[in-house]
Amino acid sequence: MSDTPFGFGLPPEEPENGDEGKKKGNQGGQGGPNPFGFPGMGLPGGAGGPGGADNPFAAMFGSMNPNDLGAAFQQIGQMLSYEGGPVNWDMAKDIARQTVAQGTADGVKDTSVGVAEKSAVEEAVRLADHWLDGVTSLPSGATTAVAWSRAEWVEATLPVWKELVDPVAERVGAAMGSVLPEEMQAMAGPLLGMMRSMGGAMFGQQIGQAVGALAGEVVGSTDIGLPLGPAGKAALLPLNIESFGKDLGVPAEEVRLYLALREAAHARLFAHVPWLRSHLFGAVEGYARGIKVDTSKLEDVVGQLDPSNPEQLQEALQGGMFQPQDTPEQKAALARLETALALVEGWVDAVVHEAAKPRLTSADAMRETMRRRRASGGPAEQTFATLVGLELRPRRLRDASRLWASLTDARGVDGRDGLWEHPDMLPTASDLDDPDGFVHREQLDFSEIDKMLGEEAQKRDQGKQDEQGDGESDGEGEAKK
């Protein structure tokens, strides 16, 4: 998975064979490893062997043996003719499925889910939902339980990835296209069109690789703290659950049940807190709106550019004059997202532990395993670091979990879960620094306000009835006269 979110920073690609590769790439003055600074992208014409670093499409097509040339160049044509949105999602889907088909680093290949595995997942989710009924006031949010293969996870979650990624990719693409002066945009029209096509392909490639790699790790549809699957479906991946529990020394049934508890708890939260999904996705969009491009570097070099010399313009592009800035708007949006995700994960951790502790002997061990998974850079950290530059801090998750547990002790299940009624009622980032202070802070008594509003509404209704009664009496008097 790429560490460079959407090619941010646009570093030049290093040849695999060091200085020798650099010398070969410069022979003849043709081609070049990466004319647009896009990771893994370039233009045909570079020298070198089929699988070497000078093959600009090696990252996309792999080894270019003669049998694959026709299909490879067909894909190149499709890439350059792409005229859709900011991300080539057809390419993303193809690359994600190819990544899944290759298997994970430990050699485990994707397989279809069998009848027995489907039945085991359905039973685990059903039992998990039953256990959760006693530890949360939120009702079940899963109308169905499904068992997915890795490829099925890719297919089912891509619509949500599109919703998450498009705002960021669109803003980056617009920023890259707008930094050139108008006169240069007119001269470089075809080049900018090619850049947009290449940009869509670049984003599609990165997203496809990220989603494909993630499919080999996730155990459900909510591993990254967001509802990636269809509403009302609790989904687990039996193959990944087996890999996850391989060296834990915990019975497979307990591993599956613990992860089913987490999936079902997420489902309850997102099903019955209607504002939560838009709050999280809105933070990502807020980050996208904050993306700006520093034009100072462009201003420094624009006077030296010769529009009739494409190679010089390519060198400027490759030099990284399009550098997204870390703006206050972005920092604020990412802080909101980080805090909200910590609260979601902390709540899930707290209620799952409360449900599992009396029933599963491995509850403590499983809880710590999940926490270590976060701390070592699990799916959530890797995905958000790649896509939006966000790295979740495990300290926040632990603080949030402790805060929710303390709220349960102090206010009960209803008092704890009632905080999800409105985003303004939730703990803030500063409250995570002082959980005890938030827990013991004087609570607002909304019951008195509701009572006053109800009494006022009754008075208004009674007043309207009295006015209507007076009107009817006057009418009767007039009739008698």
Side-chain angles (χ1 to χ4, degrees):
M1 191 177 296
S2 170
D3 292 329
T4 308
F6 289 137
F8 286 0
L10 307 178
E13 189 177 34
E14 291 292 336
E16 295 177 352
N17 52 348
D19 294 335
E20 183 180 351
K22 292 180 182 178
K23 294 175 182 177
K24 290 182 180 179
N26 291 331
Q27 289 177 357
Q30 295 181 354
N34 201 346
F36 295 108
F38 294 161
M41 296 290 181
L43 290 177
D54 290 320
N55 178 355
F57 294 98
M60 186 183 307
F61 300 117
S63 179
M64 299 280 282
N65 63 67
N67 294 330
D68 293 336
L69 282 176
F73 280 106
Q74 183 179 7
Q75 290 188 48
I76 295 173
Q78 293 173 351
M79 177 188 69
L80 293 177
S81 62
Y82 174 71
E83 297 180 353
V87 178
N88 188 331
W89 285 103
D90 290 336
M91 176 177 287
K93 180 179 177 180
D94 290 343
I95 291 179
R97 291 191 66 107
Q98 290 169 15
T99 304
V100 165
Q102 292 170 2
T104 51
D106 57 4
V108 178
K109 300 280 188 179
D110 191 26
T111 58
S112 299
V113 179
V115 175
E117 291 173 318
K118 291 180 181 179
S119 178
V121 165
E122 291 171 357
E123 176 62 21
V125 172
R126 184 197 65 77
L127 184 57
D129 248 341
H130 176 66
W131 289 358
L132 288 172
D133 285 338
V135 297
T136 174
S137 61
L138 299 180
S140 174
T143 56
T144 57
V146 293
W148 284 339
S149 66
R150 293 167 179 170
E152 288 172 327
W153 183 89
V154 168
E155 293 280 354
T157 62
L158 269 180
V160 180
W161 288 117
K162 187 176 189 299
E163 188 176 351
L164 272 172
V165 171
D166 268 352
V168 180
E170 184 174 1
R171 187 68 186 91
V172 172
M176 290 176 64
S178 64
V179 292
L180 291 177
E182 291 184 9
E183 60 273 14
M184 187 169 291
Q185 289 187 29
M187 295 180 182
L191 177 60
L192 291 176
M194 184 180 293
M195 284 178 62
R196 282 190 291 270
S197 296
M198 296 288 286
M202 176 190 76
F203 298 146
Q205 183 194 26
Q206 286 193 316
I207 296 304
Q209 290 174 344
V211 171
L214 196 60
E217 302 175 0
V218 293
V219 295
S221 68
T222 55
D223 268 28
I224 69 166
L226 292 173
L228 296 179
K233 282 190 177 181
L236 295 176
L237 282 71
L239 181 62
N240 290 357
I241 291 177
E242 181 181 352
S243 298
F244 173 81
K246 185 177 180 181
D247 300 319
L248 295 182
V250 177
E253 295 77 10
E254 288 200 18
V255 174
R256 181 169 54 245
L257 189 49
Y258 188 88
L259 297 177
L261 279 167
R262 289 183 53 83
E263 182 75 6
H266 277 103
R268 289 182 181 231
L269 197 56
F270 285 109
H272 300 291
V273 182
W275 56 265
L276 183 56
R277 187 181 190 278
S278 60
H279 180 74
L280 292 169
F281 284 48
V284 177
E285 293 183 6
Y287 172 87
R289 287 194 299 270
I291 292 176
K292 299 184 185 302
V293 174
D294 184 4
T295 58
S296 60
K297 187 170 184 179
L298 174 61
E299 292 172 355
D300 292 338
V301 301
V302 70
Q304 305 172 19
L305 287 179
D306 179 4
S308 64
N309 186 350
E311 292 182 0
Q312 190 180 18
L313 181 56
Q314 289 174 6
E315 290 174 2
L317 290 169
Q318 184 179 352
M321 63 183 178
F322 299 134
Q323 295 281 346
Q325 295 176 312
D326 196 9
T327 65
E329 294 86 353
Q330 285 175 295
K331 291 180 180 178
L334 291 182
R336 288 196 303 272
L337 182 58
E338 182 182 47
T339 300
L341 285 172
L343 291 174
V344 168
E345 290 299 293
W347 183 88
V348 168
D349 179 79
V351 300
V352 165
H353 187 70
E354 190 176 351
K357 178 71 172 175
R359 300 176 174 94
L360 298 179
T361 58
S362 62
D364 290 330
M366 290 293 299
R367 185 187 204 186
E368 190 57 34
T369 297
M370 294 302 298
R371 287 180 167 180
R372 286 202 307 268
R373 191 174 188 233
R374 293 289 198 201
S376 62
E381 290 79 14
Q382 292 176 3
T383 300
F384 279 101
T386 300
L387 300 184
V388 295
L390 172 68
E391 294 182 2
L392 297 178
R393 290 175 291 172
R395 180 179 65 85
R396 300 283 81 184
L397 300 179
R398 289 179 181 270
D399 288 346
S401 179
R402 185 163 69 90
L403 186 149
W404 289 118
S406 298
L407 282 170
T408 307
D409 295 337
R411 305 184 187 181
V413 169
D414 291 340
R416 177 200 66 198
D417 294 346
L419 293 177
W420 290 105
E421 291 181 3
H422 193 277
D424 291 344
M425 297 173 65
L426 286 178
T428 63
S430 59
D431 292 325
L432 294 181
D433 294 327
D434 181 22
D436 293 335
F438 179 84
V439 170
H440 299 294
R441 185 181 305 161
E442 184 177 353
Q443 293 179 250
L444 294 175
D445 190 352
F446 290 99
S447 62
E448 287 299 321
I449 297 177
D450 291 340
K451 182 179 179 182
M452 293 172 59
L453 291 175
E455 291 175 351
E456 186 64 28
Q458 288 179 354
K459 290 179 181 179
R460 288 199 302 269
D461 292 341
Q462 186 62 45
K464 291 180 181 178
Q465 292 177 2
D466 293 342
E467 290 177 1
Q468 292 176 355
D470 293 341
E472 291 175 357
S473 299
D474 292 342
E476 290 176 0
E478 291 294 331
K480 288 179 181 180
K481 290 180 182 179

